[in-house]
Amino acid sequence: MIKAGIKKEFMLFSRGFRLIGVIITIIGISLMYPLLYKSMEMMAGQIADMGQQIGGEAQDQVTGAVDSINGMMSSLEAMYGGSMAAVGFKTGVSSITSTGFLIISLLLMATAGGEQKKRSVIIPNCAGLTPAGYVLPKFIVYPLVIGVLSFLGGIITGGISNLIYNNELNINDIIFSSLCAAIYMLFMTALYFLIGLSTGRPGISVIIVYGGSTIIPILLQSLDIDRYNPFTLQSLLMSSYNDADMNNFMLSTVVAFILSVICCLLALMIVTLRRVDNTVGEANL
């Protein structure tokens, strides 16, 4: 039953816009930031050349605009170790875990409990679909696939940044940050499916999980307990491989996997105890 469920989830994921949408989202974000900062550098140079050709008072205004752009770029370089490649890479990978996760969670609403409201579980239930056959394939397919695609997205971001900035990035930094992003996305996807499958309301689950991913790290940091948890991976990905706290990374990774498994078991327990009311199309306790 579980093997058939995995096959079904892969088919549902690959058909339609879900898988394509996830891939487009991750690749789009991966390419956007390195190319954005490179285009800003090129634009500043072109504007400076244009100002020299214009001359007069207009040249002073153009020079001021160019200085403003260059000042902003210099500030970003200083924040990321003096490398524009690092600026494009780190902001790109960080955006995969924030904006990317929001878009992906919206794309997966139908599979994260949405089918309970659309009565899509009527026929499988009649055919003998068990709670384990319904829940476990989702936790096997979606968190793992999203994690792998996020890792590849980080690698793409690092590769593009190195390509347009003449190999300024260390391969260890690229792999480390991409791995942090992948593990974080795996955990967040598992957490999202826990809430979505448990409530049957994926729209509310998106709000809860995305809002929590913003508020919880701030609370943990204010309480000085922002280490050894999955949310610290989002901060660690901004560090270089040589400067990162590897003990924090390893323990946070272990905690993320353990909590992901707990999310799966909790979702299975809740779905087993719940009754899906197919007569009204709502999931009720």
Side-chain angles (χ1 to χ4, degrees):
M1 181 66 71
I2 294 177
K3 183 177 180 180
I6 293 173
K7 182 178 179 181
K8 175 183 74 70
E9 293 298 338
F10 266 119
M11 291 176 61
L12 291 174
F13 193 23
S14 59
R15 292 179 180 178
F17 187 70
R18 293 189 188 98
L19 179 58
I20 295 176
V22 170
I23 293 174
I24 290 175
T25 298
I26 292 176
I27 292 180
I29 294 175
S30 300
L31 298 177
M32 180 175 67
Y33 284 92
L35 296 177
L36 172 65
Y37 290 118
K38 187 63 177 180
S39 64
M40 289 178 65
E41 283 187 344
M42 296 174 62
M43 181 177 66
Q46 292 176 353
I47 293 176
D49 294 339
M50 186 184 304
Q52 292 178 356
Q53 295 176 1
I54 295 175
E57 184 178 347
Q59 182 178 359
D60 295 334
Q61 296 177 351
V62 171
T63 300
V66 172
D67 290 341
S68 177
I69 296 174
N70 289 334
M72 182 186 68
M73 302 295 282
S74 298
S75 299
L76 289 172
E77 279 190 80
M79 290 174 59
Y80 292 92
S83 169
M84 282 307 300
V87 174
F89 171 61
K90 298 293 186 180
T91 52
V93 177
S94 178
S95 294
I96 290 176
T97 64
S98 55
T99 306
F101 173 74
L102 176 60
I103 297 173
I104 290 170
S105 60
L106 292 173
L107 290 172
L108 298 181
M109 283 177 58
T111 59
E115 68 271 81
Q116 296 178 20
K117 298 184 68 175
K118 296 179 181 179
R119 309 183 189 183
S120 300
V121 294
I122 297 176
I123 295 176
N125 277 341
C126 295
L129 178 68
T130 63
Y134 171 64
V135 173
L136 294 182
K138 293 180 181 292
F139 278 88
I140 293 173
V141 172
Y142 295 102
L144 292 177
V145 172
I146 299 302
V148 170
L149 291 177
S150 299
F151 177 79
L152 295 177
I155 297 296
I156 291 172
T157 306
I160 293 296
S161 297
N162 264 347
L163 182 64
I164 62 180
Y165 288 106
N166 300 319
N167 297 318
E168 293 183 4
L169 291 175
N170 188 305
I171 186 63
N172 291 332
D173 292 342
I174 296 175
I175 294 176
F176 175 74
S177 295
S178 300
L179 192 58
C180 288
I183 298 169
Y184 176 82
M185 291 290 282
L186 182 149
F187 164 72
M188 291 301 295
T189 305
L191 182 62
Y192 169 56
F193 270 81
L194 165 63
I195 299 176
L197 295 178
S198 300
T199 62
R201 293 172 172 81
I204 296 176
S205 303
V206 173
I207 298 172
I208 293 173
V209 176
Y210 188 74
S213 68
T214 303
I215 297 172
I216 292 176
I218 297 175
L219 293 177
L220 293 176
Q221 188 173 11
S222 65
L223 297 173
D224 198 25
I225 52 174
D226 56 338
R227 301 178 66 191
Y228 313 132
N229 66 81
F231 295 100
T232 197
L233 292 169
Q234 203 174 23
S235 300
L236 284 173
L237 66 85
M238 305 298 287
S239 305
S240 66
Y241 176 77
N242 293 328
D243 296 333
D245 184 349
M246 297 308 296
N247 290 331
N248 190 12
F249 167 72
M250 295 299 295
L251 288 175
S252 297
T253 298
V254 171
V255 172
F257 279 109
I258 292 175
L259 290 179
S260 297
V261 173
I262 292 175
C263 287
C264 177
L265 297 177
L266 283 175
L268 177 59
M269 182 183 68
I270 294 171
V271 170
T272 301
L273 296 175
R274 291 172 69 243
R275 174 177 63 87
V276 179
D277 186 354
N278 289 314
T279 60
V280 296
E282 293 287 343
N284 300 320
L285 291 175

